[in-house]
Amino acid sequence: MSNDASAEIGSDSGSTSERLARQIAFIVEIDKAKQVLRQTELMDGSRCENDAEHSWHLALMAIVLAEHAREPKLDISRVVQMALVHDLVEIDAGDTFVYDLAAHAGKEERELRAAERIFNLLPLDSAREMRALWDEFEAGDTPEARFARSLDRLQPVLHNYHTRGGGWKRHGVSAQRVRERNAPIAEGAPALWEYTRTLIDDAVARGFIAEN
Amino acid sequence: MSNDASAEIGSDSGSTSERLARQIAFIVEIDKAKQVLRQTELMDGSRCENDAEHSWHLALMAIVLAEHAREPKLDISRVVQMALVHDLVEIDAGDTFVYDLAAHAGKEERELRAAERIFNLLPLDSAREMRALWDEFEAGDTPEARFARSLDRLQPVLHNYHTRGGGWKRHGVSAQRVRERNAPIAEGAPALWEYTRTLIDDAVARGFIAEN
């Protein structure tokens, strides 16, 4: 990715060509998210989905489901941006299955190191903005982050329901654990939690998943 | 996706539960974009990428490369939204390789029919908003659409360069055709077109692609 003008280092944030080189390096690096597999299967059950697909799906869910956010006046474009970046750290840290408690050991540290490396490929100002989005999502303290986190929980439930149990069944996860795990959907989107409960109940009724 | 309350039909846009049922139907439907394969290979050349991955990548490129848009004050969140929806019609219409002119016959009509079906899964107001995003991208008449279209051209060039010719080589596309096809990048982002030209020249110099 050489650039003839890359020697002209200008302001603190670098010359245009230096900035562009760093932006492109980031864009090339994040291609790897297309190969980070999740436990969630595509809705036709043909294969597991990856982080890029999942993040795209979440971003569109944010737009389509915006009216169900608990806080009516939230900044949906920020929710969309969080959806797009929230799993980039998994390029280094890998996906951790939500029901696999043992795998969560060291997850936070692995993800912090990944955030340091990946966002810092960008020019400094841009790296800070991306990192702020990721930190906000992780902390879950703003209406936007709470809504994004609700969607991040709802999406796999939809997939598991439409694959007649999918990842839940493969890992022997009970309806009770699915309810416990997903109850925080109510924090960002009460109506979506009500809907999720009906899906889980229906999954039990149809035999996709056991109650306990 | 049954819902106990789905009989309560309220306002023009439907009751909350009816709206939610339609929104979820759309979210389930668009999962299919994860299986629409493009001619572009992942940057490590391991397989072709799909529309969901491509759209996610474009949306992040819009955020990261915003400063290179020709018009300095454009609405980046609209560019991001266009990136997310621009290829949904390919769920029905399939991907058309940009250098395959024969395949372009009937493309517009196929895509229009697809837009009618897919966006109309949503509640009416939301369907109109999504359709407006897609129409705007297709027409390319706003600064936002021009920038989104520039990114949609740049992204495959990056992939083809990083796979040492990738799809270009497989289809015997010359550097001259790549330049002709991608010159409109300048309409939305002059600096990105300059950069693209250096990549194409470098691809020729490294033997990834023939000049003619």
Side-chain angles (χ1 to χ4, degrees):
Chain A
M1 310 310 300
S2 68
N3 190 312
D4 291 336
S6 63
E8 303 168 19
I9 293 171
S11 67
D12 279 349
S13 306
S15 66
T16 301
S17 59
E18 192 203 345
R19 286 181 63 82
L20 182 52
R22 298 190 69 147
Q23 289 155 347
I24 296 287
F26 175 80
I27 290 163
V28 169
E29 179 65 21
I30 66 173
D31 200 61
K32 295 176 184 165
K34 299 171 188 172
Q35 304 201 62
V36 180
L37 288 182
R38 299 165 48 79
Q39 292 296 333
T40 314
E41 295 169 7
L42 295 195
M43 293 213 191
D44 71 353
S46 57
R47 62 165 171 84
C48 286
E49 72 169 350
N50 61 57
D51 277 348
E53 297 168 327
H54 162 72
S55 300
W56 166 82
H57 215 167
L58 278 200
L60 269 172
M61 286 171 70
I63 298 167
V64 165
L65 298 174
E67 71 200 57
H68 304 293
R70 178 183 284 273
E71 318 255 347
K73 293 213 168 173
L74 80 182
D75 176 355
I76 282 296
S77 81
R78 196 154 179 91
V79 180
V80 168
Q81 293 194 20
M82 276 189 253
L84 294 170
V85 307
H86 80 291
D87 271 344
L88 285 178
V89 294
E90 296 187 357
I91 288 172
D92 289 353
D95 179 58
T96 309
F97 187 48
V98 291
Y99 299 98
D100 181 356
L101 299 181
H104 280 70
K107 175 175 183 272
E108 194 177 326
E109 199 196 314
R110 283 197 306 277
E111 293 193 346
L112 275 170
R113 269 203 310 272
E116 282 298 314
R117 183 185 76 77
I118 296 164
F119 296 126
N120 283 322
L121 294 171
L122 286 165
L124 190 60
D125 53 341
S126 201
R128 283 184 180 146
E129 285 169 25
M130 287 285 177
R131 175 61 186 264
L133 283 167
W134 182 72
D135 285 341
E136 185 177 338
F137 179 87
E138 287 295 304
D141 286 337
T142 62
E144 286 78 12
R146 280 192 290 273
F147 187 51
R149 292 172 70 91
S150 294
L151 300 175
D152 192 35
R153 286 187 155 98
L154 170 59
Q155 194 253 9
V157 174
L158 282 177
H159 280 256
N160 283 316
Y161 179 84
H162 283 273
T163 51
R164 308 178 70 83
W168 292 335
K169 219 177 212 167
R170 219 166 53 244
H171 293 276
V173 181
S174 68
Q176 198 181 332
R177 282 187 71 202
V178 175
R179 281 191 206 95
E180 281 163 17
R181 160 69 194 169
N182 290 294
I185 291 176
E187 293 167 20
L192 298 182
W193 170 234
E194 282 312 303
Y195 174 75
T196 304
R197 283 173 47 151
T198 66
L199 274 193
I200 301 167
D201 290 349
D202 198 46
V204 174
R206 289 172 189 263
F208 300 165
I209 187 173
E211 181 54 45
N212 293 298
Chain B
M1 310 308 299
S2 68
N3 189 312
D4 292 336
S6 63
E8 303 167 20
I9 293 172
S11 69
D12 279 349
S13 307
S15 65
T16 301
S17 58
E18 192 201 345
R19 287 181 62 83
L20 182 52
R22 298 190 71 148
Q23 290 155 347
I24 296 286
F26 175 81
I27 289 163
V28 168
E29 179 64 23
I30 66 174
D31 200 62
K32 294 175 184 165
K34 299 171 188 172
Q35 304 201 62
V36 180
L37 288 183
R38 298 166 48 79
Q39 292 296 333
T40 314
E41 295 169 6
L42 296 194
M43 295 212 192
D44 71 354
S46 58
R47 62 164 170 84
C48 286
E49 71 169 352
N50 62 57
D51 277 347
E53 296 168 329
H54 161 72
S55 301
W56 166 82
H57 215 167
L58 278 201
L60 268 170
M61 286 171 71
I63 298 168
V64 164
L65 298 174
E67 71 201 57
H68 305 293
R70 179 184 283 274
E71 319 256 347
K73 293 212 167 173
L74 80 182
D75 176 355
I76 282 294
S77 82
R78 195 153 180 91
V79 180
V80 168
Q81 293 194 20
M82 275 189 254
L84 294 171
V85 307
H86 81 290
D87 271 344
L88 285 178
V89 295
E90 296 187 357
I91 288 172
D92 289 353
D95 179 57
T96 308
F97 186 48
V98 292
Y99 299 98
D100 180 355
L101 298 181
H104 279 70
K107 175 176 183 273
E108 194 177 327
E109 198 196 314
R110 282 197 305 277
E111 293 194 347
L112 275 170
R113 268 203 309 272
E116 282 297 314
R117 183 185 77 77
I118 296 164
F119 296 127
N120 283 322
L121 294 171
L122 286 165
L124 189 60
D125 53 341
S126 201
R128 283 185 179 144
E129 285 169 23
M130 287 284 176
R131 175 60 186 265
L133 284 167
W134 183 72
D135 286 341
E136 183 177 339
F137 179 87
E138 286 295 304
D141 287 336
T142 61
E144 286 78 11
R146 279 192 291 273
F147 186 52
R149 292 173 71 90
S150 294
L151 300 174
D152 192 33
R153 286 186 156 97
L154 170 59
Q155 194 252 9
V157 174
L158 283 177
H159 280 256
N160 283 315
Y161 179 85
H162 282 273
T163 51
R164 309 177 69 83
W168 292 335
K169 219 175 213 168
R170 220 167 52 243
H171 293 276
V173 181
S174 68
Q176 199 181 330
R177 283 187 72 202
V178 175
R179 281 191 206 93
E180 281 163 17
R181 161 70 192 167
N182 290 295
I185 291 175
E187 294 167 19
L192 297 183
W193 170 234
E194 282 312 303
Y195 173 75
T196 304
R197 282 171 48 149
T198 65
L199 273 194
I200 300 168
D201 291 348
D202 198 46
V204 173
R206 289 173 189 262
F208 299 166
I209 186 172
E211 181 54 45
N212 293 298

